[in-house]
């Protein structure tokens, strides 16, 4: 069974295309320890079903993070409710 992880922050790039906008995602585990994953590693974990990711947008409302695919076939992270741009993720604060 996949381990749930709430994404609370991201690290952005200076790119504008959907699959290049997010460099990494991060949060805290149940013990309060910070974690961070590169976007490509989080994609692999979702596809391998070892982890599932979500955000709370608005607070208390869980929105699952999925793997999106650009028109050129590049994979990236976005939420189920996002269009091509991962707006729910992009609106999160920057990871320290």
């Amino acid at each position: 069974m996949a381990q749930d992880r709430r994404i609370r922050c991201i690290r952005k790039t200076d790119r504008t295309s959907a699959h290049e906008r997010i460099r990494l995602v991060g949060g805290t585990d149940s013990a309060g320890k910070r974690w961070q994953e590169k976007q490509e590693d989080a994609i692999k974990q979702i596809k391998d079903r070892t982890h599932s990711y979500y955000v709370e947008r608005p607070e208390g409302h869980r929105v699952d993070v999925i793997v999106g695919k650009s028109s050129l076939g590049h994979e990236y992270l976005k939420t189920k409710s996002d269009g091509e741009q991962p707006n729910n993720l992009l609106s999160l604060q920057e990871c320290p």
Side-chain angles (χ1 to χ4, degrees):
M1 180 163 190
Q3 177 185 356
D4 279 349
R5 282 185 158 178
R6 179 179 173 189
I7 297 174
R8 296 177 180 267
C9 63
I10 63 165
R11 179 107 15 103
K12 299 176 190 176
T13 68
D14 59 357
R15 306 294 179 132
T16 58
S17 64
H19 71 279
E20 296 176 314
R21 302 263 333 248
I22 297 172
R23 177 175 302 144
L24 62 83
V25 295
T28 53
D29 64 19
S30 58
K33 182 178 176 183
R34 287 188 177 156
W35 59 267
Q36 291 184 353
E37 293 289 348
K38 292 180 183 176
Q39 176 173 249
E40 56 268 19
D41 294 335
I43 289 170
K44 182 177 182 336
Q45 292 168 353
I46 291 170
K47 291 172 81 174
D48 291 346
R49 299 180 186 214
T50 58
H51 290 84
S52 61
Y53 293 88
Y54 69 97
V55 296
E56 289 192 3
R57 304 299 293 175
E59 190 70 27
H61 179 74
R62 181 183 168 134
V63 182
D64 290 330
V65 173
I66 60 172
V67 178
K69 192 174 276 196
S70 74
S71 59
L72 297 175
H74 299 286
E75 294 181 323
Y76 62 98
L77 297 175
K78 68 178 204 163
T79 64
K80 281 187 177 182
S81 59
D82 280 333
E84 182 178 343
Q85 291 296 329
N87 295 322
N88 280 327
L89 291 172
L90 290 172
S91 67
L92 296 174
Q93 67 183 359
E94 287 278 332
C95 292

